[in-house]
């Protein structure tokens, strides 16, 4: 009798244990993204123009350099930062100056960010500057979208495809 | 540190006591957490092999193949899938409890640092296994994990292009990344096994198998769970959408919500701080380091019992160096010795039947030597009166400083029950120092030094050397193996034992070669006998 009670006790403990495991294995559910919202993800890897122009080395300078290192032109490797702007429905949502990557600032600017917007119709405009111009932008893109709830709109910048790509 | 340990200890003690009732000390799952971890591992490995047969390794076909297993072949592959998932969860559960328990019981510092520190990569690898596993289903949960994980990793300045950009649109998705995950999901568990093995390097005779009854019960319980609540997938991944609600497996994915609330950098910092804290814990104060056991060659005959019994493999037998006629001698590696004294209890030279100045043994502890022990036993007998005088010899954990005693009872503390050489029991009764002896120690399967109580039992039962002489009347000897939560009952149990002594015929006494009493049965006063 006592044995049966003990086995029953064991069964209860073990079943309670696996019930706990089973529960936590998939619940409570986690609301990762709010209902009725959509997401814009903007990303690119793009090198800004090189800083300044090239300079011709003087004969004396060339003389001092090791023979295999002699190059007539001295071109700075640093790149300019890339400036990006995102407008949604005419409102500025984001503006960022993205520095060139790499230890010497000679790599491309790397960008990846997301923006949450309410589902529905939106006009989206993006601008990018990769030169040393004072005003305006080198690339612009805009489009109208009707975003469904939870929809993901990807904005990429691909100069080889002519600029901004929305999908 | 004590402030953190105490509440965990208290909670564990409570649950342990409750579980001791249905399971008994020997089957209590809390005393086999490491072994249960291994058991879960084998279930996961076996079911994983089966699942791999039906799994399609292409990213577009993976989901369908898992659906096939879950629904079309629910009776076998489906159950396997559920077992695979739930046993993996069980592994995390048992690992966390095991970690907490070793921590709360203060078994992580000193020479035990090695097992503790090698536990850290076990945690990391287990998480890699779990996360890549959920990735392979390529449902919306997998998509959520893929995006969040890669975004998190992109914070590290190691990737030229954001790897999260791989998961922006379906046409950018390629099989290569997915294959990498499959590879990781196979490689990580193998590596995990390797690290689990390293984890046990310094533990001799590690308990890696739970008792059969417990294993069977546990397995059946997981089968029931798999049948009642089969593991299911979310809807197939759709990169054009953000997964809104996900049913997280909180064992493996519980930290993902942090990535929504904190920045990636903060989560990395938290992970780093957590890891460092864990790994450095053994060296945080209070520092306690008892001196290691010392071998006295002139009393060592090279029998290797100490090496057999040491729970941490700290004693090795090496060729004799002192010219004595024996082949071997015991050598202690101080970096492995936890100073439990189990070797002292194992040594055939550990006998109190000698003149005071001769008392010495083959292997001894500097801070509580065999001579100290005999002195303590002698002192304990002084002033005891009545016909039910009891000397309780208990380990420091079980007595826990409660050694006040009274007119008929006194207490002697040893470092571990296994430290008590069996001849001491003989000595107490033979020299009429008391009418009964109680040996008290940690619960079965739960000795703080792993085997102290087990070896003591075996020595008394004469199944392991050095054995307790037959002439010792077993009815005058009680063994009390008390769960931590049950220590308060020691006094009561000792009194109950003392009562039984009153009705026994008086012992003939004095002299080493006293007549052997009639054949004895095993003591009734044993916990769970
Ligand atoms: C699933 C993962 C793990 C498994 C399967 C496992 C398994 C084991 C086993 C079988 C033992 C030997 C127990 C014995 O025979 O007395 C052990 C000891 C130990 N484990 Fe683990 N372990 C795991 C994770 C961890 C972690 C994460 C930590 C802490 C960071 C840890 C800390 C320890 C310590 C300190 C000991 C030594 C106890 C002693 O010296 O008395 N373990 N483990
Ligand atoms: S004191 Fe314990 S750990 Fe040290 S050598 Fe002896 S049995 Fe091994
Ligand atoms: S148990 Fe004693 S006699 Fe035997 S090897 Fe160890 S120290 Fe030597």
């Amino acid at each position: 009798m006592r044995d049966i009670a003990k086995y029953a006790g064991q069964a209860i403990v073990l079943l309670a244990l696996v019930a706990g495991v089973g529960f936590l294995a998939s619940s409570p559910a986690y609301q990762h993204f709010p209902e009725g919202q959509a997401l814009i993800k903007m990303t690119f890897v793009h090198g800004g123009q090189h800083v300044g122009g090239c300079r011709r080395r003087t004969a004396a300078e060339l003389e001092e350099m090791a023979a295999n290192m002699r190059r007539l032109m001295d071109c700075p490797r640093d790149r300019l930062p890339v400036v990006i702007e995102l407008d949604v429905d005419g409102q500025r949502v984001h503006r960022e100056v993205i520095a060139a990557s790499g230890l010497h600032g000679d790599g491309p600017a790397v960008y990846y960010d997301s923006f949450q917007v309410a589902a529905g119709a939106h006009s989206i405009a993006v601008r990018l500057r990769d030169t040393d111009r004072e005003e305006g932008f080198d690339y612009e893109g805009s489009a109208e979208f009707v975003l469904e709830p939870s929809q993901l709109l990807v904005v990429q910048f691909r100069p080889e495809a002519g600029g901004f790509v929305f999908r | 540190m004590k402030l953190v340990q105490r509440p965990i200890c208290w909670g564990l003690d409570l649950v342990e006591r409750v579980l001791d009732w249905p399971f008994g000390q020997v089957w209590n799952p809390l005393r086999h957490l490491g072994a249960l971890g291994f058991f879960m591992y084998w279930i996961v490995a076996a079911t994983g092999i089966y699942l791999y047969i039906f799994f399609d390794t292409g990213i577009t076909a993976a989901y369908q193949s898992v659906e096939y297993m879950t629904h079309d072949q629910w009776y076998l592959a489906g159950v396997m899938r559920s077992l695979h998932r739930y046993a993996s969860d069980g592994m995390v559960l048992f690992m966390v409890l095991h970690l907490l328990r070793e921590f709360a019981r203060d078994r992580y510092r000193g020479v035990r640092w090695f097992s503790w520190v090698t536990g850290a990569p076990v945690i990391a690898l287990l998480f890699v296994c779990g996360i890549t596993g959920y990735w392979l289903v390529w449902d919306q949960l997998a998509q959520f994990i893929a995006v969040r994980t890669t975004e998190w990793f992109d914070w590290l300045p190691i990737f030229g292009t954001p790897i999260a950009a791989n998961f922006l649109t379906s046409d950018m998705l390629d099989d290569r990344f997915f294959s990498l995950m499959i590879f990781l999901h196979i490689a990580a568990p193998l590596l995990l096994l390797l690290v689990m093995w390293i984890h046990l390097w310094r533990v001799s005779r590690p308990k890696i198998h739970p008792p059969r009854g417990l294993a069977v019960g546990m397995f059946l319980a997981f089968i029931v769970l798999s049948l009642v609540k089969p593991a299911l997938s979310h809807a197939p991944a759709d990169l054009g959408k953000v997964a809104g609600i996900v049913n997280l497996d909180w064992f493996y994915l519980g930290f993902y919500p942090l990535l929504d609330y904190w920045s990636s950098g903060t989560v990395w910092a938290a992970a780093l701080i957590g890891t460092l804290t864990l790994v450095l814990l053994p060296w945080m104060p209070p520092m306690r380091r008892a001196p290691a056991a010392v071998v006295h060659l002139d009393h060592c005959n090279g029998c290797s019992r100490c090496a057999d019994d040491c729970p941490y493999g700290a004693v090795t037998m090496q060729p004799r160096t002192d010219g004595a006629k024996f082949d071997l001698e015991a050598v202690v590696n101080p970096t492995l010795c936890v100073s439990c004294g189990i070797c002292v209890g194992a040594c055939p030279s550990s006998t109190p039947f000698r003149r005071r100045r001769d008392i010495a043994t083959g292997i001894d502890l500097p801070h509580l030597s065999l001579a100290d022990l005999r002195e303590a036993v002698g002192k304990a007998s002084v002033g005891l009166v009545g016909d039910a005088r009891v000397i309780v010899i208990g380990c420091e954990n079980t007595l826990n400083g409660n050694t006040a005693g009274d007119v008929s009872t006194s207490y002697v503390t040893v470092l571990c029950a296994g430290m008590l050489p069996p001849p001491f029991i003989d000595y107490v009764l033979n020299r009429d120092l008391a009418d009964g002896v109680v040996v008290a120690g940690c619960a079965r399967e739960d000795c703080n030094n792993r085997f102290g109580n087990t070896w003591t039992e075996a020595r008394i039962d004469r199944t392991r050397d050095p054995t307790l002489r037959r002439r010792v009347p077993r009815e005058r000897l009680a063994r009390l193996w008390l769960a931590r939560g049950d220590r308060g009952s020691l006094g009561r149990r000792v009194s109950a034992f003392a009562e039984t002594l009153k009705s026994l015929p008086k012992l003939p006494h004095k002299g080493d070669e006293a007549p052997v009493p009639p054949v004895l049965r095993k003591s009734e006063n044993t916990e769970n006998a």
Side-chain angles (χ1 to χ4, degrees):
Chain A
M1 193 56 217
R2 206 177 144 81
D3 270 3
I4 294 176
K6 287 204 170 191
Y7 283 120
Q10 292 177 7
I12 291 169
V13 171
L14 291 178
L15 290 176
L17 179 103
V18 293
V21 169
F23 178 76
L24 284 178
S26 57
S27 27
Y30 171 61
Q31 177 102 35
H32 157 60
F33 193 72
E35 274 168 55
Q37 299 277 307
L39 194 68
I40 303 173
K41 273 193 185 172
M42 187 153 69
T43 177
F44 57 81
V45 178
H46 175 63
Q49 225 177 37
H50 287 288
V51 177
C54 298
R55 185 183 63 90
R56 184 180 287 269
R57 288 195 169 100
T58 63
E61 275 179 321
L62 284 172
E63 199 58 37
E64 273 176 30
M65 296 171 80
N68 63 333
M69 298 289 283
R70 275 178 204 147
R71 299 277 184 283
L72 188 55
M73 302 304 285
D74 173 18
C75 298
R77 291 160 69 209
D78 317 35
R79 287 175 182 275
L80 288 167
V82 172
V83 181
I84 181 100
E85 278 184 9
L86 167 72
D87 289 0
V88 176
D89 302 328
Q91 297 272 328
R92 170 73 41 83
V93 174
H94 192 67
R95 177 190 160 89
E96 190 172 336
V97 181
I98 307 136
S101 61
L103 280 180
H104 306 287
D106 55 351
V110 179
Y111 181 78
Y112 179 102
D113 210 347
S114 348
F115 307 91
Q116 205 173 299
V117 294
H122 294 287
S123 69
I124 290 163
V126 266
R127 294 177 282 278
L128 181 144
R129 182 195 303 153
D130 61 358
T131 57
D132 59 356
R133 64 199 286 166
E134 297 280 306
E135 289 198 359
F137 287 85
D138 301 289
Y139 297 90
E140 294 191 32
S142 62
E144 305 278 325
F145 291 98
V146 180
L147 296 178
E148 286 168 24
S150 303
Q151 188 179 337
L152 175 68
L153 174 70
V154 177
V155 183
Q156 285 172 302
F157 177 68
R158 294 215 248 135
E160 73 279 9
F164 286 100
V165 180
F166 298 87
R167 29 189 199 167
Chain B
M1 207 56 75
K2 276 256 178 300
L3 281 176
V4 191
Q5 284 173 317
R6 210 165 286 152
I8 306 176
C9 239
W10 185 84
L12 284 172
D13 289 352
L14 187 76
V15 181
E16 223 162 86
R17 265 192 92 174
V18 172
L19 295 193
D20 268 345
W21 183 75
F23 287 95
Q25 287 189 357
V26 178
W27 280 14
N28 192 329
L30 281 182
R31 301 206 171 90
H32 300 279
L33 293 168
L36 285 170
F38 266 91
F39 183 55
M40 293 291 123
Y41 181 91
W42 296 123
I43 296 180
V44 176
T47 51
I49 292 170
Y50 186 81
L51 294 180
Y52 193 70
I53 299 173
F54 296 93
F55 182 70
D56 196 313
T57 55
I59 189 158
T60 38
Y63 184 84
Q64 276 315 318
S65 69
V66 177
E67 284 298 278
Y68 165 81
M69 290 190 251
T70 307
H71 299 292
D72 300 64
Q73 216 205 93
W74 63 268
Y75 48 88
L76 198 54
V79 172
M80 294 282 191
R81 177 187 184 194
S82 306
L83 273 180
H84 193 70
R85 173 185 293 187
Y86 294 133
S88 309
D89 292 333
M91 201 164 163
V92 175
L93 177 70
F94 293 133
M95 176 183 75
V96 170
L97 291 174
H98 165 65
L99 179 159
L100 285 176
R101 198 161 183 273
E102 300 305 318
F103 169 70
R105 299 285 149 91
D106 217 40
R107 288 193 292 248
Y108 66 95
R109 56 170 99 238
V111 302
R112 289 179 174 98
W113 69 270
F114 183 84
S115 302
W116 182 264
V117 169
T118 52
V122 170
I123 303 178
L125 280 168
L126 192 53
F127 274 90
V128 174
C129 296
I131 291 166
T132 53
Y134 275 105
W135 200 305
L136 299 193
V137 182
W138 205 240
D139 58 356
Q140 287 187 359
L141 178 62
Q143 177 187 341
F144 164 75
I145 297 169
V147 173
R148 266 292 176 252
T149 314
T150 48
E151 286 177 349
W152 186 44
F153 271 81
D154 278 333
W155 184 86
L156 300 174
I158 46 176
F159 307 103
T161 50
I163 43 172
N166 281 312
F167 303 101
L168 289 175
T169 57
S170 310
D171 51 315
M172 295 169 72
L173 210 57
D174 66 2
D175 269 345
R176 289 221 322 274
F177 209 91
F178 197 64
S179 305
L180 175 68
M181 290 303 134
I182 299 174
F183 169 76
L184 277 180
H185 192 63
I186 296 169
L190 293 175
L191 203 58
L192 176 65
L193 186 60
L194 177 73
V195 181
M196 277 159 56
W197 175 66
I198 295 174
H199 180 59
L200 300 178
W201 268 0
R202 289 201 170 176
V203 178
S204 84
R205 303 169 211 260
K207 285 191 300 195
I208 55 171
H209 303 299
R212 184 158 311 155
L214 177 62
V216 169
M218 198 59 89
F219 185 69
L220 289 179
F222 274 91
I223 294 267
V224 170
L225 173 64
S226 302
L227 290 171
V228 172
K229 189 170 180 292
L232 300 174
S233 308
H234 288 60
D238 171 5
L239 290 181
K241 288 202 154 196
V242 188
I245 296 183
V246 278
N247 296 321
L248 289 188
D249 179 328
W250 293 88
F251 292 97
Y252 285 99
L253 312 174
F255 71 93
Y256 275 82
L258 285 183
L259 289 164
D260 283 346
Y261 294 101
W262 294 353
S263 71
S264 296
T266 313
V267 177
W268 276 117
L272 184 72
I273 292 172
T275 310
L276 281 180
T277 312
L278 185 79
V279 169
L280 295 178
L281 213 55
W283 293 276
M284 289 187 193
M287 295 296 271
R288 260 177 264 127
R289 181 78 176 85
V294 175
V295 176
H296 300 294
L297 281 187
D298 42 344
H299 295 275
C300 169
N301 63 18
C303 70
S304 40
R305 286 174 193 168
C306 52
D308 282 346
D309 283 5
C310 173
Y312 292 95
V315 189
T316 45
M317 300 308 297
Q318 296 181 11
R320 204 74 194 187
T321 56
D322 63 349
K325 62 183 191 324
F326 311 108
D327 292 339
L328 298 171
E329 66 183 38
V331 176
V332 175
N333 178 350
T335 60
L336 297 181
C337 172
V338 301
S339 309
C340 60
I342 288 179
C343 49
V344 180
C347 184
S349 304
S350 297
T351 165
F353 289 106
R354 293 192 189 183
R355 266 171 294 137
R356 167 75 191 141
R357 71 184 148 78
D358 293 339
I359 191 155
T361 180
I363 187 164
D364 211 353
L365 289 180
H367 56 303
L368 182 55
S369 68
L370 198 74
D372 298 337
L373 184 57
R374 192 178 73 170
E375 195 174 318
V377 170
K379 271 200 187 130
S381 70
V382 175
L384 289 185
V385 293
D387 55 357
R389 297 161 301 151
V390 176
I391 293 183
V392 182
I393 306 177
C395 77
E396 54 180 4
N397 299 295
T398 306
L399 297 190
N400 198 15
N402 298 322
T403 53
D406 55 32
V407 287
S408 59
T409 318
S410 55
Y411 291 83
V412 174
T413 309
V414 280
L415 300 172
C416 172
M419 181 184 178
L420 181 72
F424 271 73
I425 302 171
D426 188 12
Y427 178 72
V428 170
L429 297 175
N430 185 272
R431 295 287 160 92
D432 194 25
L433 301 182
D435 302 302
V437 176
V438 173
V439 179
C442 309
R444 283 157 196 263
E445 301 294 329
D446 201 13
C447 169
N448 217 40
N449 301 303
R450 307 189 55 246
F451 296 129
N453 48 13
T454 314
W455 294 163
T456 303
E457 281 278 284
R459 290 167 189 165
I460 293 174
D461 292 338
R462 299 181 55 80
T463 54
R464 190 176 185 90
D465 280 328
T467 54
L468 179 63
R469 291 180 73 165
R470 279 188 212 283
R471 70 176 186 188
V472 175
R474 298 307 202 264
E475 67 276 20
R476 290 182 180 273
L477 168 62
R479 311 165 226 185
L480 297 180
W481 309 125
L482 300 181
R484 290 176 48 99
D486 202 18
R487 284 176 190 165
S489 70
L490 179 63
R492 188 162 45 72
R493 288 171 195 258
V494 170
S495 311
F497 169 65
E499 276 313 303
T500 67
L501 292 176
K502 290 182 181 157
S503 54
L504 295 177
K506 265 230 157 291
L507 273 180
H509 277 304
K510 300 287 184 273
D512 211 339
E513 292 308 323
V516 180
V519 179
L520 312 147
R521 63 202 162 77
K522 211 169 142 186
S523 167
E524 294 284 302
N525 292 296
T526 314
E527 256 299 288
N528 275 27

